[in-house]
Amino acid sequence: MDKLEKYFNQLSPLKSTTWDKVKPLFTKTHLQKGEHFIEQGQLASKIGFLESGIMRAFYRNDEGTEYNKHFFIENSFVGGYASLITGQPNIIIQQALSDCHLWVADFKQLSALYDTCPDLERVARRIAELYFVDKENREIEIILLDADKRYELFQKRFPQLEQLIAQYHIASYLGITPTQLSRIRKKLAQR
Amino acid sequence: MDKLEKYFNQLSPLKSTTWDKVKPLFTKTHLQKGEHFIEQGQLASKIGFLESGIMRAFYRNDEGTEYNKHFFIENSFVGGYASLITGQPNIIIQQALSDCHLWVADFKQLSALYDTCPDLERVARRIAELYFVDKENREIEIILLDADKRYELFQKRFPQLEQLIAQYHIASYLGITPTQLSRIRKKLAQR
DNA sequence: CTGATTTCTTTACCTATGTAAATGCTTCAC
DNA sequence: GTGAAGCATTTACATAGGTAAAGAAATCAG
């Protein structure tokens, strides 16, 4: 769990006494390819730190249309963040796209430490802030860039990923159909 | 500045000693219709609380295409949030769409209080978290809903706004052209 | 009130992307 | 290695939405 400690510390240094309280809350977990970390409709309760593997977060509407909101690679937090924060039922499914190793903690226990460990709450604040900035950029990309450009951005942002996951997952992340992604790939290959 | 105090407190209660430190950082400001609160390219330094009026946050790319990311109505924070957080130059312009009354503070002075006032940092955390949830929902809407549905959502979310601002601002918020919005309005009127 | 300016709508045409179905191509279990 | 299942590509057609320009309506300055 060195990776987790490093991740925390680069956001904002944690006192060792805080880390001593945080550490025991996390237990090692394994997810097999295809398994879900969190389901739609339930209240989120746990937070995970992805040490290795690939996961996706996706939304599925009533008609069964899926949209891949995000891919997680190593050194990312997973969990129904919005549900944890708002206490509303979770609407985002998270699934392992490969075998995954995670450290998992109960979010209530973790956030209960905010009262006595302001340095931990600071980390939480920074995470929320950075997540927001991330989303803001993505929003602009979605609105202002066409799918060709978003595809190129995806390739830059997740260089390794394209080889490891299915095309239709990438298409869903880009907000288009596999058909359209195939057309785009053809066009780019011809240049 | 009662509204500001109320706003803080409903996110997470502030100690009165904290409020005593926060309050003097804010000074009253007026923006005329059309004035900018923050420009593209500069480092954000101030944060404002919109007491009355309407503002918009928009992105403008190299070709001059604008995208209205957000409308602010009374009781909202304005300011180059991403720039304040990351220290990178601001890319989002914020402009008054009507005469506006704001309370404005220097963000560095405000965030410097986090060290001594954990209750203030908690408010900051909650704001960041809620902003994130907001963006997450908007992302899903943009990808999965067509413009007709997004328009109806806009009308529900900002009931008063449609009368007060130009159609092309709404179109830009929806990520479409005024032409398309006009078509949608025509279609909806015929039902 | 009147002319000028801005905004909204309409039209004609074009492009990106969706849908559905057929065809290949991989991969994986056995 | 072989067959089945899943995946990617292609094709034909349909639709949402863009662009440009013109016309209609609303707003504003004097």
Side-chain angles (χ1 to χ4, degrees), chain A residues 84-106:
Chain A
L84 291 170
I85 287 166
T86 62
Q88 297 296 109
N90 178 56
I91 59 169
I92 308 292
I93 306 168
Q94 294 184 347
Q95 181 189 37
L97 292 181
S98 70
D99 285 15
C100 291
H101 292 276
L102 306 108
W103 293 95
V104 176
D106 181 83

PDB file of all heavy atoms in Angstrom, chain A residues 84-106:
ATOM      1  N   LEU A  84     -21.572   8.587  -2.529  1.00  0.00           N
ATOM      2  CA  LEU A  84     -20.937   8.748  -1.223  1.00  0.00           C
ATOM      3  C   LEU A  84     -21.147  10.165  -0.699  1.00  0.00           C
ATOM      4  O   LEU A  84     -21.403  10.392   0.488  1.00  0.00           O
ATOM      5  CB  LEU A  84     -19.430   8.465  -1.316  1.00  0.00           C
ATOM      6  CG  LEU A  84     -19.016   7.021  -1.590  1.00  0.00           C
ATOM      7  CD1 LEU A  84     -17.531   6.933  -1.903  1.00  0.00           C
ATOM      8  CD2 LEU A  84     -19.356   6.120  -0.409  1.00  0.00           C
ATOM      9  N   ILE A  85     -21.056  11.123  -1.598  1.00  0.00           N
ATOM     10  CA  ILE A  85     -21.138  12.519  -1.197  1.00  0.00           C
ATOM     11  C   ILE A  85     -22.560  12.952  -0.890  1.00  0.00           C
ATOM     12  O   ILE A  85     -22.823  13.620   0.099  1.00  0.00           O
ATOM     13  CB  ILE A  85     -20.575  13.409  -2.329  1.00  0.00           C
ATOM     14  CG1 ILE A  85     -19.059  13.273  -2.372  1.00  0.00           C
ATOM     15  CG2 ILE A  85     -20.978  14.857  -2.139  1.00  0.00           C
ATOM     16  CD1 ILE A  85     -18.463  13.824  -3.631  1.00  0.00           C
ATOM     17  N   THR A  86     -23.468  12.550  -1.762  1.00  0.00           N
ATOM     18  CA  THR A  86     -24.835  13.056  -1.637  1.00  0.00           C
ATOM     19  C   THR A  86     -25.722  12.143  -0.804  1.00  0.00           C
ATOM     20  O   THR A  86     -26.776  12.571  -0.346  1.00  0.00           O
ATOM     21  CB  THR A  86     -25.489  13.194  -3.026  1.00  0.00           C
ATOM     22  OG1 THR A  86     -25.561  11.898  -3.621  1.00  0.00           O
ATOM     23  CG2 THR A  86     -24.686  14.116  -3.913  1.00  0.00           C
ATOM     24  N   GLY A  87     -25.310  10.874  -0.646  1.00  0.00           N
ATOM     25  CA  GLY A  87     -26.177   9.931   0.041  1.00  0.00           C
ATOM     26  C   GLY A  87     -27.335   9.455  -0.827  1.00  0.00           C
ATOM     27  O   GLY A  87     -28.218   8.736  -0.356  1.00  0.00           O
ATOM     28  N   GLN A  88     -27.339   9.865  -2.089  1.00  0.00           N
ATOM     29  CA  GLN A  88     -28.364   9.376  -3.029  1.00  0.00           C
ATOM     30  C   GLN A  88     -27.923   8.043  -3.613  1.00  0.00           C
ATOM     31  O   GLN A  88     -26.722   7.747  -3.643  1.00  0.00           O
ATOM     32  CB  GLN A  88     -28.529  10.378  -4.184  1.00  0.00           C
ATOM     33  CG  GLN A  88     -29.029  11.733  -3.770  1.00  0.00           C
ATOM     34  CD  GLN A  88     -30.422  11.667  -3.192  1.00  0.00           C
ATOM     35  OE1 GLN A  88     -30.605  11.849  -1.991  1.00  0.00           O
ATOM     36  NE2 GLN A  88     -31.390  11.342  -4.023  1.00  0.00           N
ATOM     37  N   PRO A  89     -28.881   7.238  -4.108  1.00  0.00           N
ATOM     38  CA  PRO A  89     -28.496   5.963  -4.722  1.00  0.00           C
ATOM     39  C   PRO A  89     -27.526   6.174  -5.869  1.00  0.00           C
ATOM     40  O   PRO A  89     -27.607   7.173  -6.585  1.00  0.00           O
ATOM     41  CB  PRO A  89     -29.831   5.408  -5.255  1.00  0.00           C
ATOM     42  CG  PRO A  89     -30.883   6.077  -4.454  1.00  0.00           C
ATOM     43  CD  PRO A  89     -30.338   7.430  -4.098  1.00  0.00           C
ATOM     44  N   ASN A  90     -26.638   5.225  -5.997  1.00  0.00           N
ATOM     45  CA  ASN A  90     -25.609   5.310  -7.013  1.00  0.00           C
ATOM     46  C   ASN A  90     -26.183   5.090  -8.410  1.00  0.00           C
ATOM     47  O   ASN A  90     -27.032   4.230  -8.608  1.00  0.00           O
ATOM     48  CB  ASN A  90     -24.555   4.231  -6.723  1.00  0.00           C
ATOM     49  CG  ASN A  90     -23.474   4.218  -7.747  1.00  0.00           C
ATOM     50  OD1 ASN A  90     -22.829   5.230  -7.986  1.00  0.00           O
ATOM     51  ND2 ASN A  90     -23.280   3.077  -8.382  1.00  0.00           N
ATOM     52  N   ILE A  91     -25.731   5.867  -9.386  1.00  0.00           N
ATOM     53  CA  ILE A  91     -26.219   5.658 -10.751  1.00  0.00           C
ATOM     54  C   ILE A  91     -25.111   5.220 -11.699  1.00  0.00           C
ATOM     55  O   ILE A  91     -25.362   4.947 -12.861  1.00  0.00           O
ATOM     56  CB  ILE A  91     -26.888   6.933 -11.321  1.00  0.00           C
ATOM     57  CG1 ILE A  91     -25.918   8.111 -11.334  1.00  0.00           C
ATOM     58  CG2 ILE A  91     -28.126   7.304 -10.529  1.00  0.00           C
ATOM     59  CD1 ILE A  91     -26.425   9.293 -12.124  1.00  0.00           C
ATOM     60  N   ILE A  92     -23.913   5.141 -11.208  1.00  0.00           N
ATOM     61  CA  ILE A  92     -22.771   4.790 -12.051  1.00  0.00           C
ATOM     62  C   ILE A  92     -22.254   3.402 -11.681  1.00  0.00           C
ATOM     63  O   ILE A  92     -21.905   3.163 -10.524  1.00  0.00           O
ATOM     64  CB  ILE A  92     -21.623   5.792 -11.856  1.00  0.00           C
ATOM     65  CG1 ILE A  92     -22.116   7.223 -12.042  1.00  0.00           C
ATOM     66  CG2 ILE A  92     -20.459   5.470 -12.781  1.00  0.00           C
ATOM     67  CD1 ILE A  92     -22.520   7.554 -13.430  1.00  0.00           C
ATOM     68  N   ILE A  93     -22.233   2.515 -12.634  1.00  0.00           N
ATOM     69  CA  ILE A  93     -21.698   1.175 -12.402  1.00  0.00           C
ATOM     70  C   ILE A  93     -20.191   1.196 -12.627  1.00  0.00           C
ATOM     71  O   ILE A  93     -19.719   1.892 -13.521  1.00  0.00           O
ATOM     72  CB  ILE A  93     -22.353   0.154 -13.351  1.00  0.00           C
ATOM     73  CG1 ILE A  93     -23.877   0.234 -13.235  1.00  0.00           C
ATOM     74  CG2 ILE A  93     -21.855  -1.251 -13.068  1.00  0.00           C
ATOM     75  CD1 ILE A  93     -24.618  -0.511 -14.333  1.00  0.00           C
ATOM     76  N   GLN A  94     -19.462   0.472 -11.786  1.00  0.00           N
ATOM     77  CA  GLN A  94     -18.016   0.377 -11.992  1.00  0.00           C
ATOM     78  C   GLN A  94     -17.632  -1.085 -12.100  1.00  0.00           C
ATOM     79  O   GLN A  94     -18.029  -1.908 -11.287  1.00  0.00           O
ATOM     80  CB  GLN A  94     -17.269   1.065 -10.845  1.00  0.00           C
ATOM     81  CG  GLN A  94     -17.522   2.571 -10.858  1.00  0.00           C
ATOM     82  CD  GLN A  94     -16.733   3.314  -9.822  1.00  0.00           C
ATOM     83  OE1 GLN A  94     -16.165   2.716  -8.913  1.00  0.00           O
ATOM     84  NE2 GLN A  94     -16.699   4.639  -9.945  1.00  0.00           N
ATOM     85  N   GLN A  95     -16.860  -1.374 -13.128  1.00  0.00           N
ATOM     86  CA  GLN A  95     -16.579  -2.757 -13.492  1.00  0.00           C
ATOM     87  C   GLN A  95     -15.112  -2.945 -13.843  1.00  0.00           C
ATOM     88  O   GLN A  95     -14.499  -2.076 -14.472  1.00  0.00           O
ATOM     89  CB  GLN A  95     -17.439  -3.105 -14.718  1.00  0.00           C
ATOM     90  CG  GLN A  95     -17.270  -4.523 -15.214  1.00  0.00           C
ATOM     91  CD  GLN A  95     -17.966  -4.750 -16.549  1.00  0.00           C
ATOM     92  OE1 GLN A  95     -17.982  -3.858 -17.398  1.00  0.00           O
ATOM     93  NE2 GLN A  95     -18.535  -5.931 -16.724  1.00  0.00           N
ATOM     94  N   ALA A  96     -14.581  -4.101 -13.437  1.00  0.00           N
ATOM     95  CA  ALA A  96     -13.194  -4.431 -13.787  1.00  0.00           C
ATOM     96  C   ALA A  96     -13.123  -4.864 -15.246  1.00  0.00           C
ATOM     97  O   ALA A  96     -13.893  -5.721 -15.681  1.00  0.00           O
ATOM     98  CB  ALA A  96     -12.684  -5.535 -12.872  1.00  0.00           C
ATOM     99  N   LEU A  97     -12.227  -4.262 -16.014  1.00  0.00           N
ATOM    100  CA  LEU A  97     -12.026  -4.667 -17.411  1.00  0.00           C
ATOM    101  C   LEU A  97     -10.839  -5.623 -17.537  1.00  0.00           C
ATOM    102  O   LEU A  97     -10.572  -6.151 -18.609  1.00  0.00           O
ATOM    103  CB  LEU A  97     -11.794  -3.436 -18.297  1.00  0.00           C
ATOM    104  CG  LEU A  97     -12.987  -2.507 -18.471  1.00  0.00           C
ATOM    105  CD1 LEU A  97     -12.631  -1.338 -19.388  1.00  0.00           C
ATOM    106  CD2 LEU A  97     -14.192  -3.244 -19.026  1.00  0.00           C
ATOM    107  N   SER A  98     -10.148  -5.796 -16.428  1.00  0.00           N
ATOM    108  CA  SER A  98      -9.082  -6.787 -16.360  1.00  0.00           C
ATOM    109  C   SER A  98      -9.038  -7.226 -14.903  1.00  0.00           C
ATOM    110  O   SER A  98      -9.755  -6.668 -14.071  1.00  0.00           O
ATOM    111  CB  SER A  98      -7.737  -6.167 -16.769  1.00  0.00           C
ATOM    112  OG  SER A  98      -7.300  -5.263 -15.764  1.00  0.00           O
ATOM    113  N   ASP A  99      -8.248  -8.204 -14.585  1.00  0.00           N
ATOM    114  CA  ASP A  99      -8.084  -8.539 -13.177  1.00  0.00           C
ATOM    115  C   ASP A  99      -7.500  -7.334 -12.453  1.00  0.00           C
ATOM    116  O   ASP A  99      -6.600  -6.679 -12.964  1.00  0.00           O
ATOM    117  CB  ASP A  99      -7.160  -9.751 -13.018  1.00  0.00           C
ATOM    118  CG  ASP A  99      -7.877 -11.042 -13.409  1.00  0.00           C
ATOM    119  OD1 ASP A  99      -8.940 -10.938 -14.054  1.00  0.00           O
ATOM    120  OD2 ASP A  99      -7.378 -12.122 -13.068  1.00  0.00           O
ATOM    121  N   CYS A 100      -8.055  -7.037 -11.278  1.00  0.00           N
ATOM    122  CA  CYS A 100      -7.671  -5.810 -10.575  1.00  0.00           C
ATOM    123  C   CYS A 100      -7.290  -6.087  -9.135  1.00  0.00           C
ATOM    124  O   CYS A 100      -7.903  -6.926  -8.464  1.00  0.00           O
ATOM    125  CB  CYS A 100      -8.838  -4.812 -10.572  1.00  0.00           C
ATOM    126  SG  CYS A 100      -9.222  -4.120 -12.177  1.00  0.00           S
ATOM    127  N   HIS A 101      -6.311  -5.370  -8.659  1.00  0.00           N
ATOM    128  CA  HIS A 101      -5.948  -5.392  -7.253  1.00  0.00           C
ATOM    129  C   HIS A 101      -6.258  -4.034  -6.646  1.00  0.00           C
ATOM    130  O   HIS A 101      -5.788  -3.014  -7.159  1.00  0.00           O
ATOM    131  CB  HIS A 101      -4.477  -5.749  -7.075  1.00  0.00           C
ATOM    132  CG  HIS A 101      -4.174  -7.151  -7.444  1.00  0.00           C
ATOM    133  ND1 HIS A 101      -4.355  -8.213  -6.581  1.00  0.00           N
ATOM    134  CD2 HIS A 101      -3.740  -7.692  -8.612  1.00  0.00           C
ATOM    135  CE1 HIS A 101      -4.029  -9.338  -7.182  1.00  0.00           C
ATOM    136  NE2 HIS A 101      -3.650  -9.059  -8.426  1.00  0.00           N
ATOM    137  N   LEU A 102      -7.030  -4.042  -5.593  1.00  0.00           N
ATOM    138  CA  LEU A 102      -7.444  -2.793  -4.959  1.00  0.00           C
ATOM    139  C   LEU A 102      -7.234  -2.835  -3.459  1.00  0.00           C
ATOM    140  O   LEU A 102      -7.210  -3.908  -2.852  1.00  0.00           O
ATOM    141  CB  LEU A 102      -8.941  -2.546  -5.176  1.00  0.00           C
ATOM    142  CG  LEU A 102      -9.532  -2.554  -6.553  1.00  0.00           C
ATOM    143  CD1 LEU A 102     -10.371  -3.809  -6.728  1.00  0.00           C
ATOM    144  CD2 LEU A 102     -10.415  -1.333  -6.720  1.00  0.00           C
ATOM    145  N   TRP A 103      -7.131  -1.648  -2.879  1.00  0.00           N
ATOM    146  CA  TRP A 103      -7.258  -1.480  -1.444  1.00  0.00           C
ATOM    147  C   TRP A 103      -8.612  -0.838  -1.193  1.00  0.00           C
ATOM    148  O   TRP A 103      -8.915   0.198  -1.784  1.00  0.00           O
ATOM    149  CB  TRP A 103      -6.144  -0.592  -0.898  1.00  0.00           C
ATOM    150  CG  TRP A 103      -4.803  -1.232  -0.995  1.00  0.00           C
ATOM    151  CD1 TRP A 103      -3.885  -1.074  -1.982  1.00  0.00           C
ATOM    152  CD2 TRP A 103      -4.236  -2.153  -0.068  1.00  0.00           C
ATOM    153  NE1 TRP A 103      -2.775  -1.825  -1.737  1.00  0.00           N
ATOM    154  CE2 TRP A 103      -2.955  -2.511  -0.563  1.00  0.00           C
ATOM    155  CE3 TRP A 103      -4.663  -2.734   1.142  1.00  0.00           C
ATOM    156  CZ2 TRP A 103      -2.110  -3.395   0.096  1.00  0.00           C
ATOM    157  CZ3 TRP A 103      -3.817  -3.605   1.801  1.00  0.00           C
ATOM    158  CH2 TRP A 103      -2.566  -3.940   1.282  1.00  0.00           C
ATOM    159  N   VAL A 104      -9.413  -1.449  -0.325  1.00  0.00           N
ATOM    160  CA  VAL A 104     -10.786  -0.993  -0.151  1.00  0.00           C
ATOM    161  C   VAL A 104     -11.042  -0.603   1.300  1.00  0.00           C
ATOM    162  O   VAL A 104     -10.610  -1.298   2.215  1.00  0.00           O
ATOM    163  CB  VAL A 104     -11.783  -2.082  -0.583  1.00  0.00           C
ATOM    164  CG1 VAL A 104     -13.204  -1.645  -0.307  1.00  0.00           C
ATOM    165  CG2 VAL A 104     -11.600  -2.388  -2.063  1.00  0.00           C
ATOM    166  N   ALA A 105     -11.713   0.511   1.491  1.00  0.00           N
ATOM    167  CA  ALA A 105     -12.054   0.972   2.843  1.00  0.00           C
ATOM    168  C   ALA A 105     -13.523   1.390   2.893  1.00  0.00           C
ATOM    169  O   ALA A 105     -14.130   1.685   1.866  1.00  0.00           O
ATOM    170  CB  ALA A 105     -11.179   2.152   3.236  1.00  0.00           C
ATOM    171  N   ASP A 106     -14.066   1.398   4.091  1.00  0.00           N
ATOM    172  CA  ASP A 106     -15.410   1.915   4.290  1.00  0.00           C
ATOM    173  C   ASP A 106     -15.329   3.443   4.312  1.00  0.00           C
ATOM    174  O   ASP A 106     -14.570   4.019   5.107  1.00  0.00           O
ATOM    175  CB  ASP A 106     -15.979   1.389   5.608  1.00  0.00           C
ATOM    176  CG  ASP A 106     -17.393   1.887   5.834  1.00  0.00           C
ATOM    177  OD1 ASP A 106     -18.319   1.261   5.286  1.00  0.00           O
ATOM    178  OD2 ASP A 106     -17.563   2.914   6.530  1.00  0.00           O
TER     179      ASP A 106
END
